[in-house]
Amino acid sequence: MTAMMLSRPLIELRSVIACVVLMAGPAAAQESAGGQSLDQAANDPTASLMSVQIQNIYAGAYHNLDDESANTVLLRAALPFELGGLKNIARGTLPIITDSPSGKSGVGDLVLFDLIVFDRSWGRWGLGPVMLFPTASNDALGAEKWAIGPAIGFVAQSRKLLWGLFNQNLFSFAGNGDRDDVDVSILQPIVNYSLPNKWSVGTSEMNITYDWQRNDWTALPLGVKLSKLQRFGKLPVQFSGSYEYNFQDDYVSPEWAVNFTVKFLFPVGRS
């Protein structure tokens, strides 16, 4: 039964990845996305850049838990498209938990969002809906809630510097009534500086989280990321590694984490 529950979301995600790869094939040889350097666009959540990402996150210690660690593989696909003359970026993220303090492993909850993007002289801004789906293969690995809310963000760019702020909000509207509601706001600061030879350095994917049920910040991470863009034939791939420390120690949450990411890029020549 667990294997069947695990296979369904994986099959769906593989279908999305296959569509992205097939649609993007001829464009993969291009060096930029809409005038923005490809290594900079790879770090920009508002860039119209098809991508498939595999990210491994290892949490080596937990606040308020002794001798616990965890490991999660995030599968993420992003697909830009136009609808009604508006630029959109659809992105899906599916966590695969391989180790957790609960002792359970399997699929976590799927998150999908659609960002409508507007170009400006200084960069871009965007807004749209984000939704949480209760796809977890075990109740210990997910919230057992349906949740939806707005996402909004902006990114300003210069030749080497990229900076901005991204915000996602999720508020549960259905699901298991015995579980806590999901009412959270997540802030993600974005700072990235391009270095020679396709290297870049910046902030990690810090998810600074405010829980409206607890009326408190439940995650206050600070982290740094180092990235390198490399080509394999016509296919550009970004490799990155990061470290984060969570300064909020009042709740059960990862104390520190390291991650390694491989992101396959398929630029479409515009953003």
Side-chain angles (χ1 to χ4, degrees):
M1 183 66 178
T2 301
M4 293 178 61
M5 296 176 69
L6 181 64
S7 64
R8 288 177 185 173
L10 287 177
I11 291 172
E12 293 174 1
L13 190 72
R14 282 199 296 266
S15 299
V16 172
I17 291 173
C19 290
V20 170
V21 172
L22 288 173
M23 293 174 64
Q30 301 185 26
E31 273 292 340
S32 64
Q36 186 180 28
S37 66
L38 188 54
D39 57 317
Q40 189 181 75
N43 296 294
D44 183 351
T46 68
S48 293
L49 181 62
M50 294 183 185
S51 64
V52 175
Q53 174 178 314
I54 304 171
Q55 181 178 20
N56 189 83
I57 304 171
Y58 173 73
Y62 269 73
H63 290 302
N64 302 303
L65 287 179
D66 294 329
D67 301 322
E68 293 290 352
S69 61
N71 196 84
T72 300
V73 178
L74 288 184
L75 305 179
R76 178 176 292 164
L79 178 65
F81 65 96
E82 285 196 10
L83 182 63
L86 296 174
K87 296 180 180 180
N88 290 251
I89 303 172
R91 191 177 81 178
T93 303
L94 182 68
I96 310 296
I97 297 93
T98 59
D99 183 31
S100 68
S102 69
K104 305 296 184 180
S105 61
V107 174
D109 289 340
L110 174 68
V111 176
L112 294 178
F113 80 69
D114 176 31
L115 193 69
I116 304 171
V117 179
F118 303 91
D119 294 324
R120 293 294 183 264
S121 59
W122 45 263
R124 305 180 194 88
W125 72 279
L127 77 166
V130 58
M131 189 166 182
L132 176 74
F133 297 82
T135 57
S137 57
N138 187 283
D139 57 7
L141 303 178
E144 294 189 290
K145 292 286 187 178
W146 296 81
I148 194 170
I152 187 169
F154 77 92
V155 172
Q157 63 188 56
S158 62
R159 190 171 65 90
K160 291 187 176 183
L161 180 64
L162 189 77
W163 65 275
L165 183 67
F166 200 69
N167 167 234
Q168 298 182 66
N169 304 273
L170 286 167
F171 304 100
S172 56
F173 62 91
N176 187 341
D178 295 328
R179 296 291 298 270
D180 292 338
D181 287 335
V182 175
D183 295 316
V184 296
S185 294
I186 300 170
L187 296 174
Q188 182 187 352
I190 300 164
V191 179
N192 192 264
Y193 188 79
S194 297
L195 301 172
N197 300 317
K198 306 295 184 182
W199 287 90
S200 62
V201 63
T203 53
S204 61
E205 296 182 14
M206 303 180 297
N207 290 319
I208 301 171
T209 305
Y210 188 85
D211 190 319
W212 294 96
Q213 291 290 315
R214 293 176 172 174
N215 293 316
D216 197 6
W217 297 95
T218 54
L220 294 171
L222 181 63
V224 63
K225 178 176 71 173
L226 181 66
S227 304
K228 165 70 173 174
L229 185 69
Q230 184 68 48
R231 282 191 170 272
F232 296 90
K234 294 183 177 181
L235 178 65
V237 181
Q238 185 192 56
F239 299 91
S240 62
S242 69
Y243 172 85
E244 284 186 0
Y245 185 85
N246 179 17
F247 287 90
Q248 172 55 280
D249 58 4
D250 292 337
Y251 306 99
V252 173
S253 60
E255 180 179 353
W256 61 266
V258 293
N259 77 64
F260 180 73
T261 303
V262 179
K263 181 185 288 188
F264 302 92
L265 307 173
F266 307 95
V268 295
R270 60 197 175 112
S271 60

